[in-house]
Amino acid sequence: MNKNNILKIILCFAVVAGLIAFATYSFNNTRGEELQYSELVELFDREEIAYFTINLSNGNVQFWRRNQVALNDEGQLRPLPEYRRRGFGRATIVSALFETNIDANVRDYNRAVLRYNEEVLQHNEENPDNLRELRQPIGYDFDNNNTAALLASVLPMVLIGGLVVVVFIMMMRRTNNMISGENRSNMNFGKARLRLMQKDDKRKTRFDDVAGAEEEKEELQEIVEFLRNPEKFSELGARIPKGVLLVGPPGTGKTLIARAVAGEADVPFFSISGSDFVELYVGVGASRVRDMFTQAKKAAPSIVFIDEIDAVGRQRGAGMGGGHDEREQTLNQLLVEMDGFGTNEGVIIIAATNRPDILDPALLRPGRFDRQVTVLVPDVKGREAILRVHARNKPLAPDVDLKVIAQTTAGFTGADLENLLNEAALLAARHNHKAITRDEIEAAMLKVVIGTQKKSQHKTEKDFKLLAYHEAGHAVASYYLDTQDDVHQISIISRGMAGGYTMYLPQNDKNFISKTDMEEDIVSLLGGRVAEALVLGDISTGASNDIERATRLAKDMVMRYGMSSELGPIAYTTNSEVFLGRDYGQTRSYSEHMAENIDIEIKKVIETGYKHAENILNANMQQLHNVANVLLKLETISGEQFKQVMAGETLPEMQA
């Protein structure tokens, strides 16, 4: 029974029940008089009642007055049809009528009337000049089976009962569908919401699909070998790790690597998120952990992948509640299942997180997560390999060099690179191109890194001049700093939240950053603010993000890396992110006097960088003007054009 049919049935029942109720109400309210017993007796005494009935089934009394009746062909008193709906009394007088033996009284009355009428007729024959009126007897009837009244009282109840039955059947069917359908989990809270990738799944992921993580794949190759041939290890007495924890920033491919392990090992792959264990009801998380391992053991050898395990595996005792926290109970059950009295032969747990610092130490000890594999942001070779993987099904134009793209995408993760090529493909389709060109890739890179271009944004001539000198200040300052990367593009067209931008092209990845690198980064960041002050004689809010980044660098130099000559190689803060449950109530580990010295050193670093930027721009003021003028004319220039301007050459575009 579909939804439309059910609605039709309900509507029909409602209409019929309404009609019956209305008819009953109308029938019960078509009464002309409503009398008490004393009033009825008075009517009898005045001989105004000609005919009446008593309904013994519902106790109603119906009567007709003298002017409402007539004689039929047989000379009997019967009500007139047109008056049948008038003169209807209520059951309040029925008991009184029976108490006075109305049947016998009426019969006696009618006999007396007949005798009287006989005397009147005889008198009228003898005295035609003095006629006397005849009296009419009272007609009456006792009705024991009033079908109409019975239907009027019973049928609405039958209809309402039927409607209740239909609604109940609908609810039962919906409940059955919930239990048997995809919402069955709502009724089975204790069941783990595992997603299974079968062995014959055509969408399997292989190690060839994972690029830029060669060392990570080597670490996990042992897991694959064990799942393929466990006897090889057991004969040597080796114990394969029970769990592998993948640690790394978001988007680096932790989930992809776990799927590749399952694909290479050709075993069932169960996946679940850490948040799927935590539920409103106490004890559900622990029950789901037990059910997860039960399902995995039945399919052994198998892999269970827990994504974002920090949602359930964070340190115990770090919550704001007591020891009966649902998350802690779930973690306790996970610890027992991984390395308790039970056995998990053939079940390997792979988990992923980007917050290993908040995980419970008991979860990381040998016997549970024996091995930790760090999945880092790929280097330039890894980025090039990842780009080639994602470019397999995308046609590229001849001018696209994936090596150059890899160089310009320092800091990009695998997910970022996949998104970059996808955005470039969308732009190529928008331009009706048959292949992805270099221009689309560069436009997609700017869109991903900075934001969407906003050419329609209204700017005054003063705004453009401020932006031109601000971005020229960044570019000219970095040009004379040895540690800074080459300028790749400069623009005064707004993108995203930025009014303009200066983009650099890294030649190689920096694994370590020196003190000189950080100091010159601060000089380059402050170059825009310095240019505004020197040329325009005023400063703006456009340098707010630059100042924030410069301050953060100076603070890290002093407090984290021990690069202050006055304070020495002492760390006054840690690199870990704030974890409220663990860090709540902790105080800083240095005095107020030391805090004052830290502030002084941070200010000194910023002031030194600001002074250095002033010296560079004052010494190269003409070049600053040249770059700003080119930006005002062209709005966007490339790295090659910037170098030509810095060398004193005139661009062909400026001669037009």
Side-chain angles (χ1 to χ4, degrees):
M1 184 181 296
N2 58 34
K3 185 175 181 181
N4 292 332
N5 292 335
I6 293 174
L7 291 176
K8 290 178 181 178
I9 292 174
I10 295 175
L11 182 61
C12 290
F13 268 102
V15 171
V16 173
L19 292 175
I20 295 297
F22 178 78
T24 304
Y25 177 82
S26 300
F27 178 72
N28 288 333
N29 284 276
T30 55
R31 52 181 70 91
E33 298 179 63
E34 218 168 290
L35 307 177
Q36 297 298 323
Y37 173 64
S38 59
E39 296 174 320
L40 183 62
V41 172
E42 185 178 351
L43 291 176
F44 274 100
D45 292 340
R46 295 202 302 264
E47 300 181 3
E48 293 185 15
I49 294 180
Y51 186 83
F52 71 92
T53 62
I54 299 177
N55 188 351
L56 299 181
S57 63
N58 59 17
N60 286 335
V61 177
Q62 194 171 11
F63 56 87
W64 287 260
R65 297 175 183 269
R66 295 289 184 187
N67 59 353
Q68 296 175 332
V69 297
L71 294 175
N72 56 19
D73 296 339
E74 299 176 356
Q76 297 175 343
L77 289 169
R78 290 299 176 194
L80 292 173
E82 60 268 22
Y83 293 112
R84 189 167 183 80
R85 295 175 62 84
R86 295 171 55 187
F88 190 74
R90 288 297 295 166
T92 54
I93 64 175
V94 174
S95 60
L97 289 174
F98 279 106
E99 289 174 2
T100 58
N101 198 2
I102 187 66
D103 186 25
N105 292 338
V106 171
R107 285 199 304 270
D108 293 342
Y109 175 80
N110 287 343
R111 291 192 189 99
V113 168
L114 291 175
R115 289 194 299 270
Y116 175 79
N117 287 342
E118 289 176 358
E119 294 176 357
V120 169
L121 291 174
Q122 184 179 357
H123 174 76
N124 290 342
E125 290 178 359
E126 297 175 352
N127 302 293
D129 296 333
N130 188 15
L131 297 177
R132 294 169 59 182
E133 293 183 2
L134 294 173
R135 292 183 179 180
Q136 293 182 353
I138 298 176
Y140 68 98
D141 185 22
F142 293 99
D143 188 2
N144 251 323
N145 185 19
N146 194 330
T147 305
L150 181 63
L151 289 176
S153 60
V154 174
L155 190 57
M157 298 176 61
V158 174
L159 292 174
I160 293 173
L163 184 61
V164 171
V165 171
V166 171
V167 172
F168 178 75
I169 293 174
M170 290 172 52
M171 293 177 63
M172 291 300 297
R173 288 191 175 184
R174 181 171 179 82
T175 302
N176 291 334
N177 291 336
M178 290 176 62
I179 294 176
S180 59
E182 61 182 8
N183 292 327
R184 184 183 182 91
S185 58
N186 292 336
M187 303 298 292
N188 299 325
F189 295 108
K191 297 294 183 181
R193 301 170 183 174
L194 288 171
R195 292 168 288 276
L196 173 63
M197 183 182 71
Q198 297 290 349
K199 297 173 65 174
D200 57 349
D201 195 339
K202 296 181 180 180
R203 298 170 298 174
K204 280 185 177 179
T205 304
R206 302 287 185 178
F207 277 156
D208 292 339
D209 300 319
V210 182
E214 302 304 321
E215 292 81 3
E216 290 82 353
K217 290 189 289 187
E218 290 180 6
E219 285 280 332
L220 296 171
Q221 188 64 39
E222 292 179 1
I223 306 295
V224 176
E225 290 294 331
F226 171 77
L227 292 171
R228 286 178 176 175
N229 186 16
E231 293 80 8
K232 174 182 177 181
F233 295 86
S234 58
E235 290 175 356
L236 297 174
R239 178 182 61 82
I240 200 68
K242 293 185 178 180
V244 178
L245 182 64
L246 303 177
V247 179
T252 51
K254 300 183 291 296
T255 304
L256 184 66
I257 292 175
R259 293 177 62 89
V261 172
E264 291 290 336
D266 197 26
V267 297
F269 179 77
F270 297 92
S271 63
I272 190 171
S273 174
S275 60
D276 288 336
F277 292 106
V278 182
E279 192 61 72
L280 173 65
Y281 305 99
V282 176
V284 172
S287 176
R288 288 178 178 172
V289 170
R290 289 190 293 269
D291 182 69
M292 178 185 70
F293 278 92
T294 299
Q295 294 184 49
K297 290 175 186 177
K298 291 179 181 179
S302 61
I303 294 176
V304 176
F305 175 64
I306 306 176
D307 199 9
E308 305 296 343
I309 194 174
D310 51 273
V312 69
R314 64 180 57 182
Q315 295 179 16
R316 288 170 290 181
M320 304 303 291
H324 292 285
D325 182 35
E326 168 66 6
R327 186 179 288 105
E328 292 192 5
Q329 292 191 34
T330 306
L331 174 59
N332 290 337
Q333 186 63 43
L334 180 62
L335 296 176
V336 170
E337 291 289 343
M338 289 189 68
D339 187 25
F341 288 101
T343 57
N344 288 328
E345 295 298 331
V347 178
I348 294 178
I349 307 297
I350 300 179
T353 181
N354 54 8
R355 291 296 306 273
D357 57 303
I358 67 174
L359 294 180
D360 194 90
L363 196 63
L364 303 178
R365 74 162 177 82
R368 293 195 175 107
F369 284 111
D370 305 80
R371 183 173 299 179
Q372 293 188 32
V373 177
T374 303
V375 185
L376 297 176
V377 176
D379 57 9
V380 61
K381 292 183 178 180
R383 292 195 297 274
E384 184 178 353
I386 292 172
L387 287 170
R388 295 191 184 281
V389 169
H390 292 301
R392 289 174 181 172
N393 60 344
K394 294 180 176 65
L396 301 179
D399 62 347
V400 175
D401 189 348
L402 295 180
K403 184 176 182 180
V404 174
I405 298 173
Q407 290 178 347
T408 58
T409 53
F412 276 45
T413 64
D416 294 331
L417 295 172
E418 191 275 336
N419 184 47
L420 172 65
L421 290 182
N422 184 65
E423 289 289 343
L426 294 175
L427 289 174
R430 187 185 303 172
H431 298 156
N432 296 321
H433 293 169
K434 298 298 182 181
I436 302 173
T437 65
R438 184 180 64 181
D439 292 338
E440 272 99 24
I441 291 180
E442 289 192 357
M445 187 184 308
L446 291 172
K447 182 179 180 181
V448 171
V449 175
I450 304 175
T452 306
Q453 192 177 61
K454 299 179 180 179
K455 281 190 174 183
S456 61
Q457 189 176 30
H458 176 71
K459 292 179 182 177
T460 63
E461 183 179 349
K462 180 181 178 181
D463 293 334
F464 277 112
K465 185 175 182 180
L466 186 145
L467 282 172
Y469 276 99
H470 182 97
E471 299 303 332
H474 286 306
V476 173
S478 62
Y479 182 83
Y480 289 100
L481 297 172
D482 296 334
T483 63
Q484 298 303 293
D485 297 317
D486 294 339
V487 172
H488 178 64
Q489 190 178 83
I490 312 172
S491 177
I492 58 174
I493 299 176
S494 298
R495 278 185 175 272
M497 299 296 293
Y501 61 89
T502 301
M503 193 173 181
Y504 299 93
L505 179 64
Q507 296 299 320
N508 47 52
D509 294 331
K510 295 181 180 179
N511 296 320
F512 302 98
I513 304 176
S514 67
K515 180 180 179 181
T516 303
D517 289 334
M518 301 181 75
E519 288 175 343
E520 293 192 350
D521 285 342
I522 294 174
V523 174
S524 177
L525 288 170
L526 296 177
R529 166 60 67 86
V530 173
E532 292 179 22
L534 292 178
V535 178
L536 304 177
D538 197 3
I539 55 178
S540 70
T541 60
S544 60
N545 181 255
D546 300 329
I547 294 174
E548 288 176 5
R549 293 166 60 189
T551 304
R552 194 180 308 119
L553 277 173
K555 189 174 182 179
D556 288 342
M557 290 175 63
V558 174
M559 300 185 67
R560 286 176 56 189
Y561 305 130
M563 293 180 177
S564 171
S565 57
E566 297 293 331
L567 301 181
I570 301 175
Y572 296 96
T573 185
T574 59
N575 191 24
S576 61
E577 299 180 51
V578 175
F579 179 39
L580 181 61
R582 180 190 61 204
D583 300 334
Y584 179 75
Q586 290 188 2
T587 59
R588 61 189 183 189
S589 58
Y590 48 89
S591 64
E592 291 291 338
H593 176 69
M594 185 56 67
E596 182 181 357
N597 291 335
I598 290 173
D599 292 338
I600 293 173
E601 288 298 305
I602 293 174
K603 184 179 180 182
K604 184 187 298 183
V605 172
I606 296 294
E607 289 179 343
T608 301
Y610 193 92
K611 188 66 176 178
H612 192 177
E614 276 187 335
N615 294 336
I616 292 175
L617 296 183
N618 279 323
N620 303 278
M621 184 59 67
Q622 187 57 48
Q623 291 176 316
L624 178 65
H625 289 307
N626 293 340
V627 174
N629 291 332
V630 172
L631 285 172
L632 287 171
K633 178 71 178 296
L634 303 180
E635 293 186 340
T636 300
I637 62 175
S638 65
E640 292 298 326
Q641 291 174 320
F642 171 71
K643 290 180 180 179
Q644 293 177 14
V645 174
M646 292 298 291
E649 301 177 10
T650 301
L651 298 179
E653 295 84 355
M654 295 295 292
Q655 296 175 353

